Amino acid sequence: MARRPPEPVQVVKQRRDAALSALVDGVPYIRYLGIQFDRRGDEVTAVLPFDEKLIGNPFLPALHGGVTAAFLEMTAVITLSWSYLWEDIESGKLDAESLAQGNLPRLPKTIDFTVDYLRSGLPRDAYARARITRKGRRYASVQAEAWQDNVDRPMAQAAAHFLMPRQD
């Protein structure tokens, strides 16, 4: 039995980037906040570029707590969804055409979300990563952490639980 030759690296990268882009574009609030996602293999890092509209307290100035929480929640949701899509992307089941038509699975629903604010978010870019601690068919737990200049000095962290969409 002959093995299929591997796909060119650029084709695989384009499929991965198209999948992540379609996933992110499906959430209007991500676009409103200006959150971007940087993909390296199966790891996703969220980037929140600084914008004046994100300031909650102009006297400090500091990022709004709701923006920080939303940034962490969106990071957790996209990371969790990305982990479920990864197998379909790698196997080729999910192709660029179906992604362009918006044929993506539904996003997980938040059951609860707890944020620990560790320090004020300064008026500069912020970054976040999420780690899935439990992933089942119906339920998932995710921890997320946001930082600005130094990954070892987080500005906020979150613990979240999600109800996973039904697999068709």
Side-chain angles (χ1 to χ4, degrees):
M1 183 169 173
R3 238 169 105 179
R4 273 186 0 186
E7 291 180 290
V9 174
Q10 286 308 109
V11 171
V12 174
K13 283 184 179 182
Q14 286 173 347
R15 187 170 57 236
R16 290 174 182 170
D17 290 341
L20 183 58
S21 180
L23 189 61
V24 170
D25 289 345
V27 184
Y29 195 53
I30 290 175
R31 283 188 305 232
Y32 173 76
L33 290 177
I35 301 171
Q36 303 161 1
F37 289 87
D38 182 30
R39 181 194 59 76
R40 298 286 182 247
D42 67 342
E43 183 183 64
V44 176
T45 301
V47 180
L48 178 66
F50 175 72
D51 189 337
E52 208 55 48
K53 72 181 178 191
L54 304 177
I55 295 293
N57 184 342
F59 297 108
L60 291 179
L63 291 178
H64 192 282
V67 169
T68 302
F71 179 47
L72 286 167
E73 185 174 12
M74 293 299 103
T75 301
V77 166
I78 294 299
T79 300
L80 186 56
S81 299
W82 181 249
S83 75
Y84 272 93
L85 286 178
W86 182 257
E87 289 178 24
D88 290 342
I89 294 165
E90 292 305 295
S91 67
K93 286 186 208 175
L94 202 57
D95 61 354
E97 290 176 27
S98 66
L99 293 171
Q101 296 169 0
N103 293 335
L104 286 170
R106 291 182 319 204
L107 295 174
K109 293 183 180 173
T110 305
I111 296 172
D112 68 28
F113 192 79
T114 305
V115 179
D116 295 327
Y117 297 96
L118 306 174
R119 59 182 43 86
S120 293
L122 302 173
R124 57 183 69 137
D125 294 354
Y127 309 92
R129 281 196 195 113
R131 185 173 56 87
I132 301 165
T133 54
R134 182 195 186 282
K135 180 169 69 168
R137 288 182 305 131
R138 298 182 55 194
Y139 167 87
S141 295
V142 181
Q143 293 180 339
E145 193 171 72
W147 70 93
Q148 289 185 305
D149 297 325
N150 184 345
V151 71
D152 294 326
R153 291 179 39 90
M155 67 178 192
Q157 60 189 16
H161 301 104
F162 295 96
L163 178 66
M164 297 308 298
R166 290 188 180 166
Q167 301 294 323
D168 297 329

